[in-house]
Amino acid sequence: MFNDTIFAMKFSKKLRSLASNKFPAKVPQTVNRRFFFTVGLGLIQCSRNQACPGPNNTMVAAAINNVSFVQPSTALLQAHFFGKSKGVYTTDFPANPTFKFNYTGTPPSNILVNSGTKVVVLPFNTRVELVLQDTSIIGAESHPLHLHGFNFYVVGQGFGNFDPKKDPANFNLVDPIERNTVGVPSGGWVAIRFRADNPGVWFMHCHLEVHTSWGLKMAWVVTDGKRPNQKLPPPPSDLPKC
């Protein structure tokens, strides 16, 4: 069935890593940074010289933690490498929703989202736990979230709102599946863990193209490590600049 979300959840929960000596599951057992990201839709205010079809001159947008990503004219990686982020991006992407509500219940009365080019900065080798929570704003739906630059482990998932006191007790830290894309369940949540050991700037975005174009994306900036092989190499001399 097209909308058999429960069957899809049961199937995906059965998937496991081999977790063998040859193919070990190197899931981080402890974490340095925890993040909780809401993913979903909302409305964005249009400028006065636009004629948008939504209420009070608005249009549909997509956001993570109420931030609809604005694509900069200068490449993020270029700005990061040369230390010229000013005017390109800011490092204040929220680690948690700025406004808490019943994410999978009745939406709040104000569903306007903010816009900006915001990133999260991670020191090299940070062990990250990220919970991605779907919202029912405009409509609950599954969002396939893709992370560039890393594989991650899917340690837990469920329906409804994530409970930080109860749900982590059921995380699979032994043989979770290793992915670079995961579906955030419709009306539910998924938890992933990864080690930020790849320096650079890495997008995370919804793989529904229309949602990405609406702003359902953000970026992680992973700083250099101390060793030579833990540093971002310079761009080749003939690389065209944005």
Side-chain angles (χ1 to χ4, degrees), residues 27-28 31 35 122 125-130 147 150-153 192-197 204 220 222:
V27 54
V31 296
F35 298 89
L122 296 172
N125 229 19
T126 300
R127 298 182 299 275
V128 177
E129 180 180 288
L130 169 62
L147 176 62
F150 302 94
N151 284 350
F152 53 75
Y153 292 95
I192 67 173
R193 286 188 179 187
F194 67 95
R195 186 184 292 271
D197 55 1
M204 187 179 73
W220 306 87
V222 180

Coordinates of all heavy atoms in Angstrom, one line a residue, residues 27-28 31 35 122 125-130 147 150-153 192-197 204 220 222:
V27 N 29.8 2.1 15.6 CA 28.9 3.2 16.1 C 29.4 3.8 17.4 O 29.9 3.1 18.3 CB 27.5 2.5 16.4 CG1 27.6 1.3 17.4 CG2 26.5 3.6 17.0
P28 N 29.5 5.1 17.5 CA 30.0 5.8 18.7 C 29.1 5.4 19.9 O 27.9 5.5 19.9 CB 29.8 7.3 18.4 CG 29.8 7.4 16.9 CD 29.1 6.1 16.4
V31 N 28.8 10.2 23.1 CA 28.7 11.3 22.2 C 29.2 12.6 22.9 O 29.1 12.7 24.1 CB 27.2 11.5 21.7 CG1 26.8 10.3 20.9 CG2 26.3 11.7 22.8
F35 N 22.1 16.8 19.1 CA 21.2 17.8 18.4 C 19.8 17.2 18.2 O 19.7 16.0 18.1 CB 21.8 18.1 17.0 CG 23.2 18.7 17.0 CD1 24.3 17.9 17.1 CD2 23.4 20.1 17.0 CE1 25.6 18.4 17.1 CE2 24.6 20.6 17.0 CZ 25.7 19.8 17.1
L122 N 31.6 21.8 14.0 CA 32.0 20.7 14.8 C 33.5 20.6 14.8 O 34.2 20.6 13.8 CB 31.4 19.4 14.2 CG 29.9 19.2 14.2 CD1 29.6 18.0 13.4 CD2 29.3 19.2 15.6
N125 N 36.6 15.1 14.8 CA 36.4 13.9 15.6 C 35.3 14.0 16.6 O 35.2 13.1 17.5 CB 37.7 13.4 16.3 CG 38.0 12.0 16.0 OD1 37.5 11.4 15.1 ND2 38.9 11.4 16.8
T126 N 34.4 15.0 16.5 CA 33.3 15.0 17.4 C 32.4 13.9 17.2 O 32.1 13.5 16.0 CB 32.5 16.4 17.2 OG1 33.4 17.5 17.4 CG2 31.3 16.4 18.1
R127 N 31.9 13.3 18.2 CA 30.9 12.2 18.2 C 29.5 12.8 18.3 O 29.2 13.3 19.3 CB 31.2 11.1 19.2 CG 32.6 10.4 19.1 CD 32.8 9.4 20.1 NE 32.8 9.9 21.5 CZ 33.8 10.4 22.1 NH1 35.0 10.6 21.5 NH2 33.7 10.9 23.3
V128 N 28.7 12.6 17.2 CA 27.5 13.4 17.1 C 26.3 12.4 17.3 O 26.3 11.3 16.7 CB 27.4 14.1 15.8 CG1 26.0 14.8 15.6 CG2 28.5 15.1 15.7
E129 N 25.3 12.8 18.0 CA 24.0 12.2 18.0 C 23.0 13.2 17.5 O 22.9 14.3 18.1 CB 23.6 11.7 19.4 CG 22.2 11.0 19.4 CD 21.9 10.5 20.8 OE1 22.5 9.5 21.3 OE2 21.0 11.1 21.5
L130 N 22.2 12.8 16.5 CA 21.2 13.7 15.9 C 19.9 13.0 15.9 O 19.8 11.9 15.3 CB 21.7 14.1 14.5 CG 20.7 14.8 13.7 CD1 20.2 16.2 14.3 CD2 21.2 15.1 12.2
L147 N 23.1 12.9 4.2 CA 24.2 13.6 4.7 C 25.4 13.4 3.8 O 25.8 12.3 3.6 CB 24.5 13.1 6.1 CG 25.8 13.6 6.8 CD1 25.7 15.1 7.0 CD2 26.0 12.9 8.1
F150 N 29.8 11.7 5.1 CA 29.8 10.7 6.1 C 28.8 9.6 5.9 O 27.8 9.8 5.3 CB 29.5 11.4 7.5 CG 30.4 12.5 7.9 CD1 30.0 13.8 7.5 CD2 31.6 12.3 8.5 CE1 30.8 14.9 7.9 CE2 32.4 13.4 8.8 CZ 32.0 14.6 8.5
N151 N 29.1 8.4 6.5 CA 28.1 7.4 6.8 C 27.7 7.6 8.2 O 28.5 8.1 9.1 CB 28.6 6.0 6.6 CG 28.7 5.7 5.1 OD1 28.2 6.4 4.2 ND2 29.4 4.6 4.8
F152 N 26.5 7.2 8.6 CA 26.1 7.3 10.0 C 25.3 6.0 10.3 O 25.0 5.2 9.5 CB 25.1 8.5 10.2 CG 24.0 8.6 9.2 CD1 22.9 7.8 9.4 CD2 24.0 9.5 8.2 CE1 21.8 7.9 8.5 CE2 22.9 9.6 7.3 CZ 21.8 8.8 7.4
Y153 N 25.1 5.8 11.6 CA 24.4 4.7 12.1 C 23.0 5.1 12.6 O 22.8 6.0 13.3 CB 25.1 4.0 13.3 CG 26.4 3.4 12.8 CD1 27.6 4.1 12.9 CD2 26.4 2.1 12.3 CE1 28.8 3.5 12.5 CE2 27.6 1.5 11.9 CZ 28.8 2.2 12.0 OH 30.0 1.6 11.5
I192 N 20.3 9.2 14.7 CA 21.5 8.7 14.1 C 22.7 9.1 14.9 O 22.7 10.1 15.7 CB 21.6 9.2 12.6 CG1 21.9 10.8 12.6 CG2 20.4 8.9 11.8 CD1 22.2 11.3 11.2
R193 N 23.8 8.4 14.7 CA 25.1 8.8 15.3 C 26.2 8.7 14.2 O 26.2 7.8 13.4 CB 25.5 7.9 16.5 CG 24.6 8.1 17.7 CD 25.2 7.3 18.9 NE 24.4 7.6 20.1 CZ 24.7 7.1 21.3 NH1 25.8 6.4 21.5 NH2 24.0 7.4 22.4
F194 N 27.2 9.6 14.3 CA 28.3 9.6 13.4 C 29.5 10.3 14.0 O 29.3 11.1 15.0 CB 28.0 10.2 12.0 CG 27.7 11.7 12.0 CD1 28.7 12.6 11.7 CD2 26.4 12.2 12.3 CE1 28.5 13.9 11.7 CE2 26.2 13.5 12.2 CZ 27.2 14.4 12.0
R195 N 30.7 10.0 13.5 CA 31.9 10.6 14.0 C 32.3 11.7 12.9 O 32.5 11.3 11.8 CB 33.0 9.6 14.2 CG 34.3 10.2 14.8 CD 35.3 9.1 14.9 NE 35.0 8.1 15.9 CZ 35.3 8.2 17.2 NH1 36.0 9.2 17.7 NH2 35.0 7.2 18.0
A196 N 32.5 12.9 13.3 CA 32.8 14.0 12.4 C 34.3 14.0 12.2 O 35.1 14.8 12.7 CB 32.4 15.3 12.9
D197 N 34.8 13.0 11.4 CA 36.3 12.9 11.1 C 36.7 13.2 9.7 O 37.7 12.7 9.2 CB 36.7 11.4 11.5 CG 35.9 10.4 10.8 OD1 35.0 10.7 10.0 OD2 36.2 9.2 11.0
M204 N 23.6 18.6 4.6 CA 22.6 17.6 4.9 C 21.2 18.2 4.4 O 20.9 19.3 4.7 CB 22.5 17.4 6.4 CG 21.6 16.2 6.8 SD 21.5 15.9 8.6 CE 20.5 17.3 9.1
W220 N 27.1 21.3 7.9 CA 28.0 21.1 9.0 C 29.4 21.5 8.6 O 29.9 21.1 7.5 CB 28.1 19.6 9.4 CG 26.7 18.9 9.7 CD1 25.9 18.4 8.8 CD2 26.1 18.8 11.0 NE1 24.8 17.9 9.4 CE2 24.9 18.1 10.8 CE3 26.5 19.2 12.3 CZ2 24.0 17.8 11.8 CZ3 25.6 18.9 13.3 CH2 24.4 18.2 13.1
V222 N 33.1 21.0 9.6 CA 34.0 20.2 10.4 C 35.4 20.8 10.3 O 36.0 20.9 9.2 CB 34.0 18.7 10.0 CG1 35.0 17.9 10.9 CG2 32.6 18.1 10.1

